[in-house]
């Protein structure tokens, strides 16, 4: 496989599909989100709305940063905070029909990229781990 | 550059050196560690001893998991917990004289790898971002 052909491989086969991706819903509170993050062990996960459209990304770091008080970490405020107000909204996404080259470009600066269709429906994620596994196969050939 | 030569490039030029790496010390409490993690924005950082030797890795997920009580998240316990008891001790490391190939192998399953010398002195880290940037250069040539 030439590098040119390798970069043109569709990302479709490398996507971790939506049903395997831990996420939270718009309207969920920060305590629920922190529990999901801690229990699944992921440092950042997508936030979706009822129609399964991508709305943002939420991380435990963002949640803790939000409740860092002057005296102590204000954990009592967690049930009152919505993920909507904490999550990162301007996020990189990749269209499901894109090629490996675009995925690689975006994964240089992001641990994972959310995959969407024309309706912004969340279809899954593309991760650095999957990309690195493919690069390894390519280099070892 | 052939893939064979590329895989044999020494990791030395890609290491983020120790003085640029956020870390905590053995004996620090979990509250201090959580503050460092939240303020620097990193999800996981190394734990070093007074001689700058690598002792483990600590993440905000590990800290929160430790204080997840039945009723509520027990943040009041944070000052009493030491990073020594929470951190991950069996961690992948890479020797400073290693080549790119070894770095790539380890970074498939780890977001970053700590670089050490023969005395287990912490010298810096090798990250997925740096490796991906190099792979991009290699593929685009
Ligand atoms: N339960 C687990 N089993 C095996 N390995 C695990 C794991 N949790 C974490 N890792 C390893 O740690 C890396 C960083 O995970 P992190 O949660 O910070 O960062 C993750 C997380 O934010 C997100 N992610 C990955 N899989 C996910 C999923 N199923 N649901 C939600 N988010 C996911 O994508 C980022 C990059 O993932 P990537 O696989 O490249 O890289 C993962 C993977 O190599
Ligand atoms: N302040 C910042 N400025 C720019 N980009 C940032 C950033 N904080 C995070 N990122 C981006 O997010 C990725 C994941 O960061 P994370 O903290 O989960 O995971 C990080 C963190 O656990 C550790 N790490 C990286 N640089 C570090 C440093 N200077 N000190 C301590 N730990 C570091 O290595 C992991 C992988 O780092 P990598 O660079 O491959 O990947 C980073 C980078 O692409």
């Amino acid at each position: 496989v030439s590098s040119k052909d390798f970069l043109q491989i569709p990302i479709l086969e490398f996507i971790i599909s939506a049903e395997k991706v831990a996420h939270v819903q718009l309207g969920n509170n920060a305590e629920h989100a922190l529990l999901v993050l801690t229990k699944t062990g992921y440092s950042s996960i997508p936030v979706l709305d009822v129609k399964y459209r991508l709305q943002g990304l939420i991380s435990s770091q963002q949640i803790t940063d939000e409740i860092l008080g002057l005296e102590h970490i204000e954990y009592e405020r967690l049930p009152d905070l919505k993920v909507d107000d904490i999550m990162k909204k301007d996020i990189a996404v990749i269209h499901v029909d894109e090629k490996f080259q675009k995925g690689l470009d975006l994964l240089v600066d992001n641990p994972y990229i959310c995959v969407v269709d024309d309706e912004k429906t969340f279809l899954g994620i593309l991760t650095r781990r999957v990309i690195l596994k493919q690069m390894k196969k390519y280099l070892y050939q």
Side-chain angles (χ1 to χ4, degrees), chain A residues 16 20-23 40-46 111-112 125-130:
Chain A
I16 294 172
K20 294 199 189 111
V21 179
H23 68 274
T40 59
Y42 294 118
S43 60
S44 162
I45 57 179
Y112 69 109
I125 58 176
L126 196 63
T127 64
R128 279 175 170 171
R129 181 172 180 276
V130 165

Side-chain angles (χ1 to χ4, degrees), chain A residues 50-128:
Chain A
V50 289
K51 293 208 159 129
Y52 243 67
R53 280 174 310 210
L54 181 64
Q55 299 295 323
L57 303 181
I58 188 93
S59 71
S60 32
Q61 188 265 343
Q62 286 162 338
I63 294 170
T64 311
D65 203 29
E66 191 69 25
I67 55 169
L68 229 46
L70 289 168
E71 300 285 316
H72 64 276
I73 303 174
E74 298 164 0
Y75 286 103
E76 61 276 9
R77 291 178 46 212
L78 284 177
D80 308 321
L81 294 167
K82 293 272 178 284
V83 294
D84 315 30
D85 305 318
I86 305 173
M87 67 188 187
K88 182 171 197 266
K89 288 183 189 142
D90 66 326
I91 49 180
V93 295
I94 190 169
H95 191 274
V96 62
D97 299 334
E98 280 290 351
K99 308 288 188 278
F100 196 87
Q101 177 167 346
K102 183 86 191 251
L104 175 59
D105 284 354
L106 291 169
L107 287 168
V108 165
D109 288 318
N110 299 281
Y112 69 109
I113 304 293
C114 292
V115 184
V116 296
D117 63 12
D118 296 321
E119 276 78 54
K120 293 199 71 175
T121 310
F122 175 73
L123 301 176
I125 58 176
L126 196 63
T127 64
R128 279 175 170 171

Side-chain angles (χ1 to χ4, degrees), chain A residues 2-16:
Chain A
S2 73
S3 66
K4 202 161 177 300
D5 291 338
F6 181 62
L7 289 170
Q8 290 308 309
I9 295 174
I11 60 166
L12 196 61
E13 53 190 292
F14 304 127
I15 297 169
I16 294 172

